[in-house]
Amino acid sequence: LNLTSDCTLQRLSHLTNLHLFDCGKPDLNEFLKDDAINYASELLGVTYLFTLDSNPNEISCFLTVSNDALRIDHFPNKIRRKINKEIPHAKQMRSYPAVKIGRLGVDLKYKGVGSPLMDFIKGWFSSNNKTGCRFLLVDAYNEPDVLKYYQKNDFQFLLEEEDEIQKDRDGNPKPLRTRLMFFDLIHLTPAN
Ligand SMILES: CC(C)(COP(=O)(O)OP(=O)(O)OC[C@H]1O[C@@H](n2cnc3c(N)ncnc32)[C@H](O)[C@@H]1OP(=O)(O)O)[C@@H](O)C(=O)NCCC(=O)NCCS
């Protein structure tokens, strides 16, 4: 399936048929079916889908995005340097404008569409940047396949694994459910 030639981008609406969609993760399927519309009406996140031109009732993949910021003032110097490395000194800030990919899923039938989907997202937020938006951010599920997917698509970890681990009230490390990853959109602007 070719995402750009065989599918059409749509904003989620009450008319979208969501019942066939299955990305293999029940929580994401349920988010799409039960919550995504409410997120959009509360202005908290907008969901977009690619439907098949050959069958508009079928969804190949979806994403939910919202405005975010990459705040680096409370991070160690090492992390700040990693983020600031591509930003001219005079323009360095404590917080940079970003878009959060809150949810993203590819239907199991259309595996392989995930990377073209990420190319689309990068292009969408870097061409005709309507508001300043420097970074894509994602709280990636801490699972080998998911991390590999984002790494393959040039996302980097913001923090080392040990720096992301939080402790519970008894001081025991909590399982790390997600890893914060980022992509710098400057790489896609014409001058770069
Ligand atoms: C993570 C996810 C988005 C990746 O999407 P994807 O389409 O599988 O990603 P890719 O485009 O990278 O393709 C993955 C692999 O499938 C392979 N592939 C391509 N077409 C395929 C097909 N028809 N059948 C099986 N595999 C196929 C690709 O070669 C690629 O292999 P590689 O990683 O060795 O290069 C998807 O697996 C998914 O929706 N997972 C569940 C939801 C989820 O975890 N979302 C992330 C939340 S943070």
Side-chain angles (χ1 to χ4, degrees):
L1 182 86
N2 183 318
L3 187 69
T4 43
S5 58
D6 301 333
C7 297
T8 298
L9 177 71
Q10 309 204 8
R11 197 174 157 129
L12 176 67
S13 83
H14 288 287
L15 300 175
T16 317
N17 184 344
L18 300 167
H19 295 284
L20 292 171
F21 184 82
D22 180 12
C23 70
K25 293 253 163 71
D27 58 332
L28 284 178
N29 295 340
E30 276 157 32
F31 171 82
L32 185 61
K33 290 183 182 96
D34 302 336
D35 295 332
I37 286 267
N38 298 334
Y39 264 71
S41 52
E42 294 290 340
L43 313 183
L44 295 174
V46 181
T47 297
Y48 297 91
L49 352 120
F50 279 92
T51 54
L52 266 61
D53 292 343
S54 58
N55 177 7
N57 281 326
E58 251 197 84
I59 296 164
S60 59
C61 54
F62 84 97
L63 67 142
T64 305
V65 281
S66 54
N67 292 351
D68 201 354
L70 178 53
R71 278 196 57 186
I72 56 168
D73 50 346
H74 55 294
F75 288 135
N77 280 339
K78 188 177 69 174
I79 310 294
R80 288 213 288 254
R81 274 199 299 274
K82 178 150 86 176
I83 296 294
N84 281 335
K85 149 168 128 245
E86 312 271 358
I87 298 176
H89 195 258
K91 300 200 170 51
Q92 293 182 359
M93 300 193 277
R94 289 186 299 187
S95 175
Y96 292 109
V99 156
K100 169 67 76 65
I101 304 173
R103 306 282 194 301
L104 179 147
V106 171
D107 190 283
L108 291 170
K109 288 199 290 300
Y110 302 107
K111 261 203 143 322
V113 154
S115 293
L117 172 65
M118 191 53 75
D119 289 341
F120 165 80
I121 298 171
K122 290 174 181 173
W124 210 28
F125 286 104
S126 57
S127 62
N128 302 321
N129 213 214
K130 285 184 262 335
T131 63
C133 170
R134 177 70 190 237
F135 293 98
L136 295 179
L137 299 178
V138 66
D139 289 313
Y141 287 153
N142 189 19
E143 297 170 11
D145 284 358
V146 175
L147 299 180
K148 187 177 140 214
Y149 165 72
Y150 285 109
Q151 283 179 303
K152 190 176 75 174
N153 284 288
D154 298 322
F155 277 69
Q156 298 178 51
F157 294 113
L158 186 66
L159 299 167
E160 304 292 336
E161 191 167 9
E162 58 268 25
D163 295 330
E164 275 197 272
I165 290 175
Q166 295 182 348
K167 303 252 168 78
D168 65 16
R169 264 191 245 145
D170 301 324
N172 299 316
K174 289 199 221 167
L176 196 53
R177 219 178 50 81
T178 59
R179 299 285 313 273
L180 179 57
M181 300 183 80
F182 71 95
F183 176 83
D184 188 345
L185 288 166
I186 201 74
H187 299 309
L188 297 183
T189 57
N192 295 277

